[in-house]
Amino acid sequence: MKIAHRIGLGLFLSVILLMSACSSRKSNLTIQDPWARLGVAGGNSAIYLKIENATKEDDALISASCDAAMMTELHMTQMMDDGTMKMEPQEKISIPAGQTVELKPGGLHIMLMNLKKDLKTGDTLNLKLKFEKSGEIEVSVPVKEP
């Protein structure tokens, strides 16, 4: 019985240490200044924010989901040679070690497509960001005018 008790205690402590290691890694990736544009049900909107990576490892945002839209994608707005703006989906957004990446109008952003409801000033959206190494981070995003 003593051996089984020691093995069980060892496994329990191992799980606690592993969970601590995972949670400390996530705490080094910080989401700052999130906000979403106004939008109309059935239309599109976008979310902007800053991602600070205080770790010594590169990471990448690989997907996002938002309860306010039927579809959520990572996008980049680019100026074309003919002077028009074009939005292109991105497979991922790299977050280099020790740097902050800004998702902003006219650049990288999180595109909300086919909105389920109108987005009005003062509303709050629930956003889930999924990272290659840091896992998922949930963010409350206020809706406001630019």
Side-chain angles (χ1 to χ4, degrees), residues 22 25-32 34 47 49-55 57-65 74 91-97 99-103 108 110 127-139:
C22 290
R25 169 179 271 178
K26 287 183 185 179
S27 68
N28 290 325
L29 210 57
T30 306
I31 309 304
Q32 303 168 346
I47 295 176
L49 47 82
K50 296 175 188 172
I51 305 168
E52 179 185 6
N53 182 355
T55 71
E57 283 187 295
D58 292 345
D59 206 337
L61 176 60
I62 55 174
S63 68
S65 62
L74 308 176
E91 259 186 57
K92 64 182 179 178
I93 297 173
S94 297
I95 315 295
Q99 294 188 29
T100 299
V101 173
E102 184 175 7
L103 282 60
L108 293 167
I110 298 168
L127 175 68
K128 287 185 184 177
L129 302 173
K130 186 173 181 183
F131 295 88
E132 277 182 348
K133 296 178 182 164
S134 298
E136 277 192 5
I137 297 177
E138 292 188 32
V139 182

mmCIF file of all heavy atoms in Angstrom, residues 22 25-32 34 47 49-55 57-65 74 91-97 99-103 108 110 127-139:
data_model
loop_
_atom_site.group_PDB
_atom_site.id
_atom_site.type_symbol
_atom_site.label_atom_id
_atom_site.label_comp_id
_atom_site.label_asym_id
_atom_site.label_seq_id
_atom_site.Cartn_x
_atom_site.Cartn_y
_atom_site.Cartn_z
ATOM 1 N N CYS A 22 2.942 24.969 -17.883
ATOM 2 C CA CYS A 22 2.100 25.421 -18.988
ATOM 3 C C CYS A 22 1.487 26.787 -18.701
ATOM 4 O O CYS A 22 1.468 27.654 -19.553
ATOM 5 C CB CYS A 22 0.979 24.417 -19.250
ATOM 6 S SG CYS A 22 1.562 22.876 -19.956
ATOM 7 N N ARG A 25 3.990 29.684 -19.017
ATOM 8 C CA ARG A 25 4.320 30.014 -20.403
ATOM 9 C C ARG A 25 3.270 30.965 -20.974
ATOM 10 O O ARG A 25 3.578 31.952 -21.612
ATOM 11 C CB ARG A 25 4.402 28.744 -21.242
ATOM 12 C CG ARG A 25 4.478 29.042 -22.729
ATOM 13 C CD ARG A 25 4.570 27.802 -23.538
ATOM 14 N NE ARG A 25 5.965 27.480 -23.672
ATOM 15 C CZ ARG A 25 6.435 26.433 -24.290
ATOM 16 N NH1 ARG A 25 5.619 25.567 -24.825
ATOM 17 N NH2 ARG A 25 7.709 26.220 -24.396
ATOM 18 N N LYS A 26 1.978 30.667 -20.732
ATOM 19 C CA LYS A 26 0.898 31.499 -21.264
ATOM 20 C C LYS A 26 0.936 32.912 -20.695
ATOM 21 O O LYS A 26 0.588 33.849 -21.369
ATOM 22 C CB LYS A 26 -0.454 30.851 -20.971
ATOM 23 C CG LYS A 26 -0.730 29.651 -21.815
ATOM 24 C CD LYS A 26 -2.098 29.110 -21.513
ATOM 25 C CE LYS A 26 -2.337 27.834 -22.282
ATOM 26 N NZ LYS A 26 -3.638 27.271 -21.982
ATOM 27 N N SER A 27 1.358 33.052 -19.462
ATOM 28 C CA SER A 27 1.347 34.365 -18.839
ATOM 29 C C SER A 27 2.369 35.313 -19.468
ATOM 30 O O SER A 27 2.301 36.505 -19.256
ATOM 31 C CB SER A 27 1.593 34.243 -17.335
ATOM 32 O OG SER A 27 2.908 33.803 -17.087
ATOM 33 N N ASN A 28 3.296 34.786 -20.251
ATOM 34 C CA ASN A 28 4.299 35.635 -20.892
ATOM 35 C C ASN A 28 3.849 36.186 -22.246
ATOM 36 O O ASN A 28 4.553 36.964 -22.859
ATOM 37 C CB ASN A 28 5.618 34.867 -21.048
ATOM 38 C CG ASN A 28 6.288 34.649 -19.710
ATOM 39 O OD1 ASN A 28 6.215 35.494 -18.825
ATOM 40 N ND2 ASN A 28 6.915 33.517 -19.552
ATOM 41 N N LEU A 29 2.698 35.777 -22.720
ATOM 42 C CA LEU A 29 2.119 36.307 -23.946
ATOM 43 C C LEU A 29 0.966 37.203 -23.511
ATOM 44 O O LEU A 29 0.031 36.741 -22.870
ATOM 45 C CB LEU A 29 1.607 35.147 -24.799
ATOM 46 C CG LEU A 29 1.599 35.309 -26.303
ATOM 47 C CD1 LEU A 29 2.984 35.627 -26.842
ATOM 48 C CD2 LEU A 29 1.078 34.049 -26.941
ATOM 49 N N THR A 30 1.055 38.494 -23.819
ATOM 50 C CA THR A 30 0.079 39.449 -23.321
ATOM 51 C C THR A 30 -0.696 40.081 -24.476
ATOM 52 O O THR A 30 -0.098 40.508 -25.466
ATOM 53 C CB THR A 30 0.797 40.571 -22.531
ATOM 54 O OG1 THR A 30 1.608 39.975 -21.532
ATOM 55 C CG2 THR A 30 -0.195 41.502 -21.884
ATOM 56 N N ILE A 31 -2.013 40.138 -24.326
ATOM 57 C CA ILE A 31 -2.872 40.790 -25.315
ATOM 58 C C ILE A 31 -3.197 42.180 -24.782
ATOM 59 O O ILE A 31 -3.674 42.325 -23.660
ATOM 60 C CB ILE A 31 -4.177 39.989 -25.530
ATOM 61 C CG1 ILE A 31 -3.879 38.512 -25.815
ATOM 62 C CG2 ILE A 31 -5.011 40.645 -26.629
ATOM 63 C CD1 ILE A 31 -2.968 38.247 -26.971
ATOM 64 N N GLN A 32 -2.928 43.203 -25.610
ATOM 65 C CA GLN A 32 -3.120 44.589 -25.186
ATOM 66 C C GLN A 32 -4.058 45.329 -26.141
ATOM 67 O O GLN A 32 -4.054 45.077 -27.344
ATOM 68 C CB GLN A 32 -1.774 45.323 -25.161
ATOM 69 C CG GLN A 32 -0.737 44.678 -24.287
ATOM 70 C CD GLN A 32 0.652 45.255 -24.528
ATOM 71 O OE1 GLN A 32 0.905 45.944 -25.499
ATOM 72 N NE2 GLN A 32 1.562 44.964 -23.615
ATOM 73 N N PRO A 34 -7.281 45.522 -27.089
ATOM 74 C CA PRO A 34 -8.173 44.948 -28.102
ATOM 75 C C PRO A 34 -9.384 45.847 -28.345
ATOM 76 O O PRO A 34 -9.876 46.493 -27.429
ATOM 77 C CB PRO A 34 -8.601 43.626 -27.468
ATOM 78 C CG PRO A 34 -8.546 43.882 -25.998
ATOM 79 C CD PRO A 34 -7.382 44.841 -25.804
ATOM 80 N N ILE A 47 -11.266 42.939 -35.754
ATOM 81 C CA ILE A 47 -10.719 43.120 -34.414
ATOM 82 C C ILE A 47 -9.246 43.462 -34.542
ATOM 83 O O ILE A 47 -8.520 42.868 -35.344
ATOM 84 C CB ILE A 47 -10.891 41.843 -33.556
ATOM 85 C CG1 ILE A 47 -12.379 41.576 -33.318
ATOM 86 C CG2 ILE A 47 -10.129 41.968 -32.239
ATOM 87 C CD1 ILE A 47 -12.662 40.284 -32.567
ATOM 88 N N LEU A 49 -5.619 44.497 -32.135
ATOM 89 C CA LEU A 49 -5.004 44.354 -30.819
ATOM 90 C C LEU A 49 -3.488 44.275 -30.966
ATOM 91 O O LEU A 49 -2.975 44.260 -32.080
ATOM 92 C CB LEU A 49 -5.541 43.101 -30.106
ATOM 93 C CG LEU A 49 -5.595 41.785 -30.895
ATOM 94 C CD1 LEU A 49 -4.263 41.072 -30.924
ATOM 95 C CD2 LEU A 49 -6.645 40.879 -30.286
ATOM 96 N N LYS A 50 -2.814 44.246 -29.833
ATOM 97 C CA LYS A 50 -1.368 44.062 -29.803
ATOM 98 C C LYS A 50 -1.092 42.763 -29.051
ATOM 99 O O LYS A 50 -1.758 42.457 -28.067
ATOM 100 C CB LYS A 50 -0.675 45.215 -29.076
ATOM 101 C CG LYS A 50 -0.834 46.546 -29.777
ATOM 102 C CD LYS A 50 -0.224 47.649 -28.945
ATOM 103 C CE LYS A 50 -0.554 49.007 -29.548
ATOM 104 N NZ LYS A 50 -0.146 50.099 -28.661
ATOM 105 N N ILE A 51 -0.094 42.013 -29.542
ATOM 106 C CA ILE A 51 0.330 40.779 -28.885
ATOM 107 C C ILE A 51 1.798 40.933 -28.502
ATOM 108 O O ILE A 51 2.656 41.086 -29.381
ATOM 109 C CB ILE A 51 0.157 39.556 -29.797
ATOM 110 C CG1 ILE A 51 -1.282 39.461 -30.304
ATOM 111 C CG2 ILE A 51 0.579 38.276 -29.056
ATOM 112 C CD1 ILE A 51 -1.478 38.467 -31.430
ATOM 113 N N GLU A 52 2.045 40.919 -27.201
ATOM 114 C CA GLU A 52 3.419 41.047 -26.710
ATOM 115 C C GLU A 52 3.938 39.663 -26.324
ATOM 116 O O GLU A 52 3.305 38.934 -25.565
ATOM 117 C CB GLU A 52 3.478 41.960 -25.483
ATOM 118 C CG GLU A 52 4.885 42.093 -24.937
ATOM 119 C CD GLU A 52 4.944 42.908 -23.655
ATOM 120 O OE1 GLU A 52 3.877 43.281 -23.119
ATOM 121 O OE2 GLU A 52 6.059 43.162 -23.186
ATOM 122 N N ASN A 53 5.099 39.308 -26.859
ATOM 123 C CA ASN A 53 5.736 38.028 -26.562
ATOM 124 C C ASN A 53 6.974 38.293 -25.711
ATOM 125 O O ASN A 53 8.030 38.633 -26.224
ATOM 126 C CB ASN A 53 6.121 37.301 -27.852
ATOM 127 C CG ASN A 53 6.733 35.943 -27.602
ATOM 128 O OD1 ASN A 53 6.965 35.549 -26.462
ATOM 129 N ND2 ASN A 53 7.007 35.228 -28.673
ATOM 130 N N ALA A 54 6.849 38.140 -24.398
ATOM 131 C CA ALA A 54 7.959 38.389 -23.481
ATOM 132 C C ALA A 54 8.836 37.151 -23.289
ATOM 133 O O ALA A 54 9.735 37.154 -22.459
ATOM 134 C CB ALA A 54 7.418 38.859 -22.129
ATOM 135 N N THR A 55 8.577 36.087 -24.066
ATOM 136 C CA THR A 55 9.363 34.868 -23.935
ATOM 137 C C THR A 55 10.621 34.947 -24.797
ATOM 138 O O THR A 55 10.814 35.891 -25.555
ATOM 139 C CB THR A 55 8.547 33.622 -24.352
ATOM 140 O OG1 THR A 55 8.367 33.624 -25.773
ATOM 141 C CG2 THR A 55 7.196 33.593 -23.667
ATOM 142 N N GLU A 57 11.137 32.514 -26.932
ATOM 143 C CA GLU A 57 10.761 31.646 -28.041
ATOM 144 C C GLU A 57 9.797 32.360 -28.967
ATOM 145 O O GLU A 57 8.871 33.030 -28.521
ATOM 146 C CB GLU A 57 10.021 30.405 -27.534
ATOM 147 C CG GLU A 57 10.853 29.337 -26.923
ATOM 148 C CD GLU A 57 9.989 28.105 -26.644
ATOM 149 O OE1 GLU A 57 9.081 28.209 -25.794
ATOM 150 O OE2 GLU A 57 10.232 27.068 -27.262
ATOM 151 N N ASP A 58 10.011 32.198 -30.274
ATOM 152 C CA ASP A 58 9.037 32.696 -31.238
ATOM 153 C C ASP A 58 7.740 31.914 -31.055
ATOM 154 O O ASP A 58 7.751 30.756 -30.636
ATOM 155 C CB ASP A 58 9.533 32.490 -32.663
ATOM 156 C CG ASP A 58 10.744 33.356 -33.002
ATOM 157 O OD1 ASP A 58 11.026 34.313 -32.257
ATOM 158 O OD2 ASP A 58 11.407 33.061 -34.012
ATOM 159 N N ASP A 59 6.629 32.552 -31.354
ATOM 160 C CA ASP A 59 5.331 31.896 -31.312
ATOM 161 C C ASP A 59 4.566 32.369 -32.538
ATOM 162 O O ASP A 59 5.083 33.172 -33.324
ATOM 163 C CB ASP A 59 4.591 32.262 -30.013
ATOM 164 C CG ASP A 59 3.583 31.200 -29.575
ATOM 165 O OD1 ASP A 59 3.129 30.414 -30.432
ATOM 166 O OD2 ASP A 59 3.243 31.168 -28.388
ATOM 167 N N ALA A 60 3.357 31.897 -32.724
ATOM 168 C CA ALA A 60 2.538 32.341 -33.852
ATOM 169 C C ALA A 60 1.069 32.195 -33.502
ATOM 170 O O ALA A 60 0.658 31.215 -32.874
ATOM 171 C CB ALA A 60 2.862 31.535 -35.100
ATOM 172 N N LEU A 61 0.294 33.195 -33.905
ATOM 173 C CA LEU A 61 -1.158 33.124 -33.807
ATOM 174 C C LEU A 61 -1.614 32.282 -34.990
ATOM 175 O O LEU A 61 -1.319 32.625 -36.144
ATOM 176 C CB LEU A 61 -1.761 34.526 -33.866
ATOM 177 C CG LEU A 61 -3.278 34.635 -33.861
ATOM 178 C CD1 LEU A 61 -3.880 34.023 -32.603
ATOM 179 C CD2 LEU A 61 -3.700 36.095 -34.008
ATOM 180 N N ILE A 62 -2.284 31.157 -34.721
ATOM 181 C CA ILE A 62 -2.648 30.255 -35.816
ATOM 182 C C ILE A 62 -4.149 30.256 -36.124
ATOM 183 O O ILE A 62 -4.542 29.811 -37.199
ATOM 184 C CB ILE A 62 -2.147 28.817 -35.566
ATOM 185 C CG1 ILE A 62 -2.644 28.271 -34.226
ATOM 186 C CG2 ILE A 62 -0.632 28.773 -35.641
ATOM 187 C CD1 ILE A 62 -2.304 26.814 -33.971
ATOM 188 N N SER A 63 -4.965 30.759 -35.198
ATOM 189 C CA SER A 63 -6.396 30.877 -35.494
ATOM 190 C C SER A 63 -7.075 31.745 -34.443
ATOM 191 O O SER A 63 -6.512 32.011 -33.383
ATOM 192 C CB SER A 63 -7.076 29.501 -35.562
ATOM 193 O OG SER A 63 -7.116 28.898 -34.283
ATOM 194 N N ALA A 64 -8.283 32.153 -34.777
ATOM 195 C CA ALA A 64 -9.097 32.942 -33.857
ATOM 196 C C ALA A 64 -10.548 32.545 -34.062
ATOM 197 O O ALA A 64 -10.943 32.127 -35.160
ATOM 198 C CB ALA A 64 -8.918 34.435 -34.127
ATOM 199 N N SER A 65 -11.341 32.673 -33.003
ATOM 200 C CA SER A 65 -12.777 32.449 -33.127
ATOM 201 C C SER A 65 -13.499 33.473 -32.266
ATOM 202 O O SER A 65 -13.005 33.870 -31.213
ATOM 203 C CB SER A 65 -13.161 31.020 -32.723
ATOM 204 O OG SER A 65 -12.846 30.780 -31.375
ATOM 205 N N LEU A 74 -7.727 35.206 -39.881
ATOM 206 C CA LEU A 74 -6.586 36.113 -39.777
ATOM 207 C C LEU A 74 -6.377 36.711 -41.157
ATOM 208 O O LEU A 74 -6.334 35.971 -42.148
ATOM 209 C CB LEU A 74 -5.338 35.341 -39.334
ATOM 210 C CG LEU A 74 -5.479 34.482 -38.076
ATOM 211 C CD1 LEU A 74 -4.192 33.706 -37.809
ATOM 212 C CD2 LEU A 74 -5.868 35.324 -36.883
ATOM 213 N N GLU A 91 -2.287 32.250 -43.016
ATOM 214 C CA GLU A 91 -2.252 30.966 -42.318
ATOM 215 C C GLU A 91 -1.926 31.158 -40.854
ATOM 216 O O GLU A 91 -2.451 30.460 -39.991
ATOM 217 C CB GLU A 91 -1.196 30.049 -42.936
ATOM 218 C CG GLU A 91 -1.775 29.032 -43.859
ATOM 219 C CD GLU A 91 -0.724 28.058 -44.338
ATOM 220 O OE1 GLU A 91 -0.070 27.406 -43.496
ATOM 221 O OE2 GLU A 91 -0.573 27.977 -45.560
ATOM 222 N N LYS A 92 -1.024 32.099 -40.579
ATOM 223 C CA LYS A 92 -0.628 32.399 -39.209
ATOM 224 C C LYS A 92 0.011 33.777 -39.174
ATOM 225 O O LYS A 92 0.398 34.331 -40.195
ATOM 226 C CB LYS A 92 0.315 31.340 -38.650
ATOM 227 C CG LYS A 92 1.646 31.251 -39.361
ATOM 228 C CD LYS A 92 2.472 30.142 -38.738
ATOM 229 C CE LYS A 92 3.813 29.992 -39.432
ATOM 230 N NZ LYS A 92 4.623 28.946 -38.799
ATOM 231 N N ILE A 93 0.123 34.307 -37.954
ATOM 232 C CA ILE A 93 0.791 35.585 -37.741
ATOM 233 C C ILE A 93 1.936 35.325 -36.766
ATOM 234 O O ILE A 93 1.715 34.920 -35.625
ATOM 235 C CB ILE A 93 -0.181 36.645 -37.175
ATOM 236 C CG1 ILE A 93 -1.302 36.915 -38.192
ATOM 237 C CG2 ILE A 93 0.569 37.921 -36.808
ATOM 238 C CD1 ILE A 93 -2.409 37.821 -37.673
ATOM 239 N N SER A 94 3.153 35.516 -37.236
ATOM 240 C CA SER A 94 4.336 35.272 -36.403
ATOM 241 C C SER A 94 4.444 36.305 -35.292
ATOM 242 O O SER A 94 4.223 37.496 -35.518
ATOM 243 C CB SER A 94 5.603 35.312 -37.255
ATOM 244 O OG SER A 94 5.571 34.272 -38.202
ATOM 245 N N ILE A 95 4.793 35.817 -34.089
ATOM 246 C CA ILE A 95 4.994 36.673 -32.921
ATOM 247 C C ILE A 95 6.427 36.399 -32.437
ATOM 248 O O ILE A 95 6.648 35.493 -31.629
ATOM 249 C CB ILE A 95 3.970 36.373 -31.790
ATOM 250 C CG1 ILE A 95 2.540 36.213 -32.330
ATOM 251 C CG2 ILE A 95 4.060 37.432 -30.701
ATOM 252 C CD1 ILE A 95 1.940 37.459 -32.937
ATOM 253 N N PRO A 96 7.407 37.164 -32.933
ATOM 254 C CA PRO A 96 8.811 36.904 -32.572
ATOM 255 C C PRO A 96 9.085 37.088 -31.077
ATOM 256 O O PRO A 96 8.442 37.906 -30.408
ATOM 257 C CB PRO A 96 9.589 37.935 -33.389
ATOM 258 C CG PRO A 96 8.661 38.356 -34.482
ATOM 259 C CD PRO A 96 7.278 38.247 -33.896
ATOM 260 N N ALA A 97 10.034 36.335 -30.581
ATOM 261 C CA ALA A 97 10.443 36.415 -29.175
ATOM 262 C C ALA A 97 10.856 37.836 -28.825
ATOM 263 O O ALA A 97 11.543 38.504 -29.594
ATOM 264 C CB ALA A 97 11.604 35.460 -28.918
ATOM 265 N N GLN A 99 9.191 40.573 -28.764
ATOM 266 C CA GLN A 99 8.626 41.661 -29.568
ATOM 267 C C GLN A 99 7.116 41.759 -29.393
ATOM 268 O O GLN A 99 6.470 40.850 -28.872
ATOM 269 C CB GLN A 99 8.964 41.451 -31.041
ATOM 270 C CG GLN A 99 10.454 41.563 -31.328
ATOM 271 C CD GLN A 99 10.741 41.535 -32.804
ATOM 272 O OE1 GLN A 99 9.929 41.946 -33.630
ATOM 273 N NE2 GLN A 99 11.917 41.051 -33.153
ATOM 274 N N THR A 100 6.567 42.879 -29.859
ATOM 275 C CA THR A 100 5.128 43.104 -29.860
ATOM 276 C C THR A 100 4.680 43.255 -31.305
ATOM 277 O O THR A 100 5.278 44.005 -32.071
ATOM 278 C CB THR A 100 4.770 44.372 -29.063
ATOM 279 O OG1 THR A 100 5.203 44.193 -27.709
ATOM 280 C CG2 THR A 100 3.278 44.638 -29.079
ATOM 281 N N VAL A 101 3.633 42.527 -31.672
ATOM 282 C CA VAL A 101 3.062 42.611 -33.016
ATOM 283 C C VAL A 101 1.710 43.299 -32.890
ATOM 284 O O VAL A 101 0.890 42.925 -32.055
ATOM 285 C CB VAL A 101 2.912 41.211 -33.638
ATOM 286 C CG1 VAL A 101 2.169 41.285 -34.968
ATOM 287 C CG2 VAL A 101 4.284 40.557 -33.813
ATOM 288 N N GLU A 102 1.503 44.319 -33.735
ATOM 289 C CA GLU A 102 0.248 45.074 -33.679
ATOM 290 C C GLU A 102 -0.646 44.702 -34.855
ATOM 291 O O GLU A 102 -0.233 44.767 -36.008
ATOM 292 C CB GLU A 102 0.524 46.572 -33.693
ATOM 293 C CG GLU A 102 -0.737 47.390 -33.540
ATOM 294 C CD GLU A 102 -0.478 48.893 -33.419
ATOM 295 O OE1 GLU A 102 0.673 49.332 -33.574
ATOM 296 O OE2 GLU A 102 -1.458 49.611 -33.162
ATOM 297 N N LEU A 103 -1.876 44.313 -34.553
ATOM 298 C CA LEU A 103 -2.903 44.112 -35.554
ATOM 299 C C LEU A 103 -3.684 45.414 -35.589
ATOM 300 O O LEU A 103 -4.249 45.831 -34.569
ATOM 301 C CB LEU A 103 -3.809 42.935 -35.179
ATOM 302 C CG LEU A 103 -3.256 41.530 -35.443
ATOM 303 C CD1 LEU A 103 -1.982 41.247 -34.693
ATOM 304 C CD2 LEU A 103 -4.309 40.485 -35.140
ATOM 305 N N LEU A 108 -2.335 43.838 -40.545
ATOM 306 C CA LEU A 108 -2.833 42.583 -40.001
ATOM 307 C C LEU A 108 -4.065 42.850 -39.138
ATOM 308 O O LEU A 108 -4.121 43.865 -38.442
ATOM 309 C CB LEU A 108 -1.757 41.911 -39.149
ATOM 310 C CG LEU A 108 -0.529 41.398 -39.887
ATOM 311 C CD1 LEU A 108 0.579 41.058 -38.900
ATOM 312 C CD2 LEU A 108 -0.892 40.183 -40.735
ATOM 313 N N ILE A 110 -7.942 40.668 -37.401
ATOM 314 C CA ILE A 110 -8.806 39.493 -37.293
ATOM 315 C C ILE A 110 -10.132 39.869 -37.934
ATOM 316 O O ILE A 110 -10.808 40.791 -37.481
ATOM 317 C CB ILE A 110 -8.988 39.079 -35.821
ATOM 318 C CG1 ILE A 110 -7.616 38.690 -35.229
ATOM 319 C CG2 ILE A 110 -9.991 37.929 -35.715
ATOM 320 C CD1 ILE A 110 -7.608 38.549 -33.726
ATOM 321 N N LEU A 127 -13.489 36.632 -27.669
ATOM 322 C CA LEU A 127 -12.538 36.211 -28.689
ATOM 323 C C LEU A 127 -11.609 35.154 -28.122
ATOM 324 O O LEU A 127 -11.108 35.302 -27.004
ATOM 325 C CB LEU A 127 -11.711 37.422 -29.150
ATOM 326 C CG LEU A 127 -10.581 37.166 -30.136
ATOM 327 C CD1 LEU A 127 -11.140 36.729 -31.498
ATOM 328 C CD2 LEU A 127 -9.731 38.419 -30.291
ATOM 329 N N LYS A 128 -11.403 34.075 -28.883
ATOM 330 C CA LYS A 128 -10.436 33.043 -28.504
ATOM 331 C C LYS A 128 -9.306 33.067 -29.525
ATOM 332 O O LYS A 128 -9.549 32.957 -30.730
ATOM 333 C CB LYS A 128 -11.076 31.662 -28.493
ATOM 334 C CG LYS A 128 -11.995 31.432 -27.335
ATOM 335 C CD LYS A 128 -12.510 30.004 -27.314
ATOM 336 C CE LYS A 128 -13.511 29.831 -26.192
ATOM 337 N NZ LYS A 128 -14.088 28.487 -26.187
ATOM 338 N N LEU A 129 -8.101 33.229 -29.022
ATOM 339 C CA LEU A 129 -6.913 33.221 -29.873
ATOM 340 C C LEU A 129 -6.162 31.920 -29.617
ATOM 341 O O LEU A 129 -5.961 31.526 -28.473
ATOM 342 C CB LEU A 129 -6.011 34.407 -29.526
ATOM 343 C CG LEU A 129 -6.645 35.790 -29.647
ATOM 344 C CD1 LEU A 129 -5.692 36.859 -29.120
ATOM 345 C CD2 LEU A 129 -7.018 36.070 -31.092
ATOM 346 N N LYS A 130 -5.734 31.258 -30.694
ATOM 347 C CA LYS A 130 -4.983 30.013 -30.546
ATOM 348 C C LYS A 130 -3.568 30.215 -31.086
ATOM 349 O O LYS A 130 -3.391 30.621 -32.233
ATOM 350 C CB LYS A 130 -5.670 28.866 -31.285
ATOM 351 C CG LYS A 130 -5.013 27.528 -31.039
ATOM 352 C CD LYS A 130 -5.806 26.398 -31.642
ATOM 353 C CE LYS A 130 -5.142 25.073 -31.359
ATOM 354 N NZ LYS A 130 -5.863 23.963 -31.989
ATOM 355 N N PHE A 131 -2.583 29.916 -30.230
ATOM 356 C CA PHE A 131 -1.176 30.086 -30.572
ATOM 357 C C PHE A 131 -0.487 28.733 -30.701
ATOM 358 O O PHE A 131 -0.881 27.764 -30.038
ATOM 359 C CB PHE A 131 -0.473 30.926 -29.494
ATOM 360 C CG PHE A 131 -0.984 32.332 -29.429
ATOM 361 C CD1 PHE A 131 -2.068 32.653 -28.631
ATOM 362 C CD2 PHE A 131 -0.398 33.336 -30.180
ATOM 363 C CE1 PHE A 131 -2.555 33.949 -28.572
ATOM 364 C CE2 PHE A 131 -0.875 34.638 -30.136
ATOM 365 C CZ PHE A 131 -1.963 34.948 -29.330
ATOM 366 N N GLU A 132 0.548 28.671 -31.546
ATOM 367 C CA GLU A 132 1.297 27.426 -31.752
ATOM 368 C C GLU A 132 1.843 26.868 -30.446
ATOM 369 O O GLU A 132 1.727 25.684 -30.179
ATOM 370 C CB GLU A 132 2.464 27.649 -32.717
ATOM 371 C CG GLU A 132 2.086 27.595 -34.161
ATOM 372 C CD GLU A 132 3.280 27.776 -35.094
ATOM 373 O OE1 GLU A 132 4.385 28.168 -34.652
ATOM 374 O OE2 GLU A 132 3.096 27.514 -36.292
ATOM 375 N N LYS A 133 2.462 27.707 -29.635
ATOM 376 C CA LYS A 133 3.134 27.246 -28.430
ATOM 377 C C LYS A 133 2.399 27.612 -27.146
ATOM 378 O O LYS A 133 2.482 26.891 -26.168
ATOM 379 C CB LYS A 133 4.564 27.792 -28.386
ATOM 380 C CG LYS A 133 5.408 27.265 -29.522
ATOM 381 C CD LYS A 133 6.791 27.824 -29.512
ATOM 382 C CE LYS A 133 7.553 27.281 -30.715
ATOM 383 N NZ LYS A 133 8.748 28.034 -30.979
ATOM 384 N N SER A 134 1.711 28.712 -27.141
ATOM 385 C CA SER A 134 1.081 29.202 -25.909
ATOM 386 C C SER A 134 -0.349 28.720 -25.720
ATOM 387 O O SER A 134 -0.981 29.063 -24.732
ATOM 388 C CB SER A 134 1.112 30.731 -25.877
ATOM 389 O OG SER A 134 2.448 31.180 -25.866
ATOM 390 N N GLY A 135 -0.876 27.986 -26.676
ATOM 391 C CA GLY A 135 -2.235 27.475 -26.530
ATOM 392 C C GLY A 135 -3.286 28.552 -26.749
ATOM 393 O O GLY A 135 -3.068 29.497 -27.508
ATOM 394 N N GLU A 136 -4.415 28.419 -26.070
ATOM 395 C CA GLU A 136 -5.531 29.355 -26.242
ATOM 396 C C GLU A 136 -5.523 30.447 -25.186
ATOM 397 O O GLU A 136 -5.218 30.184 -24.026
ATOM 398 C CB GLU A 136 -6.869 28.622 -26.163
ATOM 399 C CG GLU A 136 -7.278 27.979 -27.439
ATOM 400 C CD GLU A 136 -8.731 27.510 -27.432
ATOM 401 O OE1 GLU A 136 -9.468 27.773 -26.459
ATOM 402 O OE2 GLU A 136 -9.123 26.878 -28.412
ATOM 403 N N ILE A 137 -5.880 31.641 -25.628
ATOM 404 C CA ILE A 137 -6.063 32.776 -24.732
ATOM 405 C C ILE A 137 -7.411 33.400 -25.070
ATOM 406 O O ILE A 137 -7.703 33.669 -26.231
ATOM 407 C CB ILE A 137 -4.936 33.822 -24.898
ATOM 408 C CG1 ILE A 137 -3.593 33.213 -24.506
ATOM 409 C CG2 ILE A 137 -5.234 35.068 -24.067
ATOM 410 C CD1 ILE A 137 -2.400 34.147 -24.708
ATOM 411 N N GLU A 138 -8.247 33.597 -24.052
ATOM 412 C CA GLU A 138 -9.544 34.236 -24.251
ATOM 413 C C GLU A 138 -9.436 35.722 -23.925
ATOM 414 O O GLU A 138 -8.774 36.104 -22.958
ATOM 415 C CB GLU A 138 -10.605 33.575 -23.378
ATOM 416 C CG GLU A 138 -10.905 32.158 -23.821
ATOM 417 C CD GLU A 138 -12.087 31.551 -23.099
ATOM 418 O OE1 GLU A 138 -13.017 32.296 -22.730
ATOM 419 O OE2 GLU A 138 -12.061 30.330 -22.918
ATOM 420 N N VAL A 139 -10.085 36.545 -24.754
ATOM 421 C CA VAL A 139 -10.006 37.998 -24.618
ATOM 422 C C VAL A 139 -11.397 38.600 -24.738
ATOM 423 O O VAL A 139 -12.171 38.204 -25.605
ATOM 424 C CB VAL A 139 -9.100 38.594 -25.731
ATOM 425 C CG1 VAL A 139 -8.951 40.095 -25.586
ATOM 426 C CG2 VAL A 139 -7.739 37.915 -25.767
#
